[in-house]
Amino acid sequence: MKTHAGTDILLIGSDETLVLALQDGGFRVTWVDEHEDLYAAVARLQPQAVLVQADSPTRDTLEHLASLSRRYPQPTLLLHDGQDAELTRRALKLGISAYVADGMSAGAVRALVEVSISHREQLESLRRELTRSQRSLAERKLIDAAKCVLMERQGVCEADAFRHLKSLAMNARISLSDAARNLLAQEGT
């Protein structure tokens, strides 16, 4: 597993033992009170993870953290004593991971943060790959549609239509998908 030592962690709530454990693990920890301006803290720090160390964070705090996570994607972990099942449900519904940390060693919390950051990075990588694949598929559909237009209009086979489209792209010094888009726009399709 990739180590995230030197990364910024925002801790909401104050637990000196947890701060020291995270710092011993190489994390740079900034802590703020739950009632401080979380938006400003996250915008300023842009942490790789947010930890909420609170027995009972307010509903507003959880909703603010969920909103912040959409704007600044980072794992948000709620560390609590496990006494409030409703708190756990509410956090999970908002996309915040909730963990019972009562009795959890500092090393286990560090590992939890490491895994959460790695998981977020993997998800972001998958989202980027999905976006690339969707864009590639859309371009492929444009090219196929343009080839169909050329095959019908010129009465040629698919290979000849592709060569013609490729020639249009090379002559105009544009991508094959842009050439297809232009051809389809000229045809009104």
Side-chain angles (χ1 to χ4, degrees), residues 10 15 29 31 48 66 80 86 122 135 148 153 155 169:
L10 178 64
D15 181 336
V29 181
W31 68 271
Q48 282 73 36
H80 65 101
E86 178 57 31
Q122 289 172 343
R135 186 176 22 247
C148 285
R153 187 175 70 186

Side-chain angles (χ1 to χ4, degrees), residues 10-12 18 34 49-58 61-62 65 75-82 84-102 104 109 112-113 116:
L10 178 64
L11 176 64
I12 300 169
L18 180 59
E34 169 178 11
V50 175
L51 299 176
V52 182
Q53 177 67 36
D55 292 334
S56 182
T58 66
T61 298
L62 292 178
L65 289 171
T76 302
L77 297 96
L78 172 64
L79 305 174
H80 65 101
D81 62 9
D84 188 350
E86 178 57 31
L87 173 65
T88 301
R89 278 193 295 280
R90 198 174 23 185
L92 292 172
K93 187 175 180 183
L94 292 169
I96 297 170
S97 300
Y99 297 95
V100 175
D102 199 28
M104 188 182 285
V109 173
L112 186 63
V113 171
S116 296

Side-chain angles (χ1 to χ4, degrees), residues 3-160:
T3 181
H4 294 92
T7 59
D8 292 308
I9 303 294
L10 178 64
L11 176 64
I12 300 169
S14 61
D15 181 336
E16 199 169 318
T17 305
L18 180 59
V19 170
L20 291 174
L22 291 168
Q23 288 173 338
D24 286 346
F27 294 106
R28 289 187 302 264
V29 181
T30 303
W31 68 271
V32 297
D33 184 77
E34 169 178 11
H35 303 291
E36 290 182 41
D37 185 349
L38 299 180
Y39 289 97
V42 171
R44 181 184 74 251
L45 186 61
Q46 294 192 13
Q48 282 73 36
V50 175
L51 299 176
V52 182
Q53 177 67 36
D55 292 334
S56 182
T58 66
R59 179 185 192 109
D60 286 346
T61 298
L62 292 178
E63 288 176 2
H64 291 313
L65 289 171
S67 175
L68 281 166
S69 187
R70 286 188 289 275
R71 184 165 183 197
Y72 300 101
Q74 79 281 319
T76 302
L77 297 96
L78 172 64
L79 305 174
H80 65 101
D81 62 9
Q83 299 298 315
D84 188 350
E86 178 57 31
L87 173 65
T88 301
R89 278 193 295 280
R90 198 174 23 185
L92 292 172
K93 187 175 180 183
L94 292 169
I96 297 170
S97 300
Y99 297 95
V100 175
D102 199 28
M104 188 182 285
S105 72
V109 173
R110 281 196 313 263
L112 186 63
V113 171
E114 290 278 350
V115 167
S116 296
I117 293 171
S118 293
H119 185 249
R120 174 64 73 150
E121 289 171 350
Q122 289 172 343
L123 284 174
E124 289 303 314
S125 176
L126 287 172
R127 283 187 185 111
R128 286 190 300 272
E129 182 60 34
L130 177 61
T131 299
R132 278 192 299 273
S133 295
Q134 288 171 330
R135 186 176 22 247
S136 178
L137 180 60
E139 289 174 355
R140 185 80 244 154
K141 286 181 177 181
L142 275 173
I143 292 167
D144 287 345
K147 285 191 306 186
C148 285
V149 166
L150 288 171
M151 289 175 359
E152 289 174 8
R153 187 175 70 186
Q154 296 179 356
V156 295
C157 68
E158 184 177 2
D160 289 339

